[in-house]
Amino acid sequence: YLKTGIGVLSKTVTTIPKGSTPPIDTVVEAVRSENRQEIVYSTWMVNTWDCANTDGILVKLNDYNDYELIDDIVYEWEQRTGLKMEFDEFERVYQKDVNNYVMVAKDGSYKSKGAYVKKLNKLDYELPIVNKAIINKLVHNIDVEKTINECDELKQFQMIVKASSKYAGLWYGEKKLNEKCVRAFASINKSDRGLFKRKSLHATSEKVAGTPDNCFIVNDNVEGVKISSKLDKQWYIDLASKRLEAFGI
């Protein structure tokens, strides 16, 4: 991983004389040539119009002995452009799109980016158990069912649901809530309602995207609180599994 674009890629194969350098806008997969008189490149062209990130490129080596070759190519590029690159090595890369990926190093450490896999903090703690289940699967090959079923901490299952200023508020079924921001949890109880929003008091209800059909609300402090018997863990398992499909798992 060279830090200094991950984009939508299309593949071509090019033979370039030894000592020559591929174009600047390519990601290069180097293949060793028997006589070393020329290098055969499997070249991945970066479609810059689809590329939302320009802070790195991925280079796949078919043979680790070609590391120095890539280093030479990068050095020549640095001399031409005046830019600098740093190297990081990863064994596995899982990518949903240009803004959502996980890269796993040989020692088990990883880098991640994107809403589905980002590292959460106290101010950003949305569906933490789902993020954890995805990371555990991609990095450690732990099934999502194991991660989710073994967790008994209510806070890990929270969804923070808000109504923006464009809406008159949140509705729990047909009941208008006083709060415009609630902490919701998936419920196995079919009598529990869903969350909706309206642009005015008498407007048509719109289901809040990404929320379960049945949920319960806990706006009290949930630090240290254990899960309720009506928490629908299967809803979280299904969500994590669906998000993993986007990474090709």
Side-chain angles (χ1 to χ4, degrees):
Y1 178 64
L2 308 181
K3 291 186 291 185
T4 205
I6 301 174
V8 176
L9 309 178
S10 58
K11 188 177 183 181
T12 60
V13 177
T14 307
T15 300
I16 299 176
K18 185 178 180 181
S20 299
T21 304
I24 192 171
D25 60 345
T26 62
V27 179
V28 182
E29 182 180 332
V31 182
R32 300 180 68 188
S33 173
E34 289 184 4
N35 59 18
R36 302 298 289 180
Q37 295 304 306
E38 60 186 22
I39 298 295
V40 179
Y41 291 98
S42 181
T43 304
W44 296 84
M45 304 298 296
V46 179
N47 294 334
T48 54
W49 56 87
D50 288 328
C51 188
N53 246 339
T54 55
D55 61 352
I57 61 173
L58 291 172
V59 179
K60 180 181 178 181
L61 295 180
N62 284 342
D63 191 312
Y64 195 80
N65 290 327
D66 287 318
Y67 186 96
E68 290 187 7
L69 169 65
I70 299 300
D71 191 34
D72 290 344
I73 293 171
V74 170
Y75 176 76
E76 194 277 337
W77 179 87
E78 289 177 330
Q79 299 306 302
R80 284 192 288 118
T81 64
L83 300 174
K84 293 294 181 182
M85 281 190 174
E86 298 175 358
F87 287 77
D88 283 324
E89 296 182 37
F90 299 96
E91 286 193 331
R92 289 173 286 137
V93 176
Y94 303 95
Q95 187 173 6
K96 173 181 175 288
D97 52 45
V98 295
N99 290 315
N100 289 272
Y101 56 82
V102 177
M103 301 187 293
V104 186
K106 188 174 182 178
D107 63 1
S109 61
Y110 68 93
K111 288 188 176 182
S112 63
K113 180 181 180 181
Y116 291 178
V117 292
K118 64 184 177 182
K119 295 178 181 178
L120 303 178
N121 56 61
K122 290 182 178 180
L123 297 178
D124 183 7
Y125 214 63
E126 174 76 9
L127 290 168
I129 193 62
V130 176
N131 280 44
K132 183 178 180 180
I134 293 172
I135 289 295
N136 278 352
K137 179 60 179 177
L138 296 180
V139 178
H140 307 296
N141 198 28
I142 298 173
D143 290 339
V144 295
E145 291 87 353
K146 180 177 176 62
T147 298
I148 292 173
N149 284 329
E150 290 184 354
C151 182
D152 65 354
E153 191 178 345
L154 186 61
K155 184 179 178 180
Q156 299 301 314
F157 296 87
Q158 70 180 20
M159 291 171 281
I160 307 302
V161 182
K162 302 177 182 179
S164 71
S165 59
K166 295 180 180 180
Y167 292 89
L170 289 173
W171 272 255
Y172 184 55
E174 294 298 319
K175 178 185 178 182
K176 187 179 185 306
L177 300 175
N178 294 325
E179 303 88 352
K180 277 201 167 187
C181 179
V182 298
R183 186 189 290 115
F185 303 85
S187 174
I188 61 174
N189 192 337
K190 299 303 180 183
S191 64
D192 283 336
R193 303 164 185 175
L195 283 165
F196 300 85
K197 55 189 178 181
R198 298 181 188 177
K199 291 185 176 179
S200 65
L201 289 177
H202 302 292
T204 302
S205 292
E206 302 173 28
K207 188 174 183 294
V208 178
T211 60
D213 293 337
N214 309 99
C215 63
F216 60 93
I217 297 170
V218 181
N219 277 345
D220 297 328
N221 187 356
V222 293
E223 287 291 343
V225 176
K226 299 301 181 183
I227 62 172
S228 164
S229 59
K230 67 178 181 177
L231 181 73
D232 185 2
K233 285 190 173 183
Q234 189 61 47
W235 186 87
Y236 298 89
I237 291 171
D238 292 343
L239 179 60
S241 298
K242 182 178 179 180
R243 289 184 175 183
L244 277 168
E245 288 178 2
F247 286 91
I249 304 301

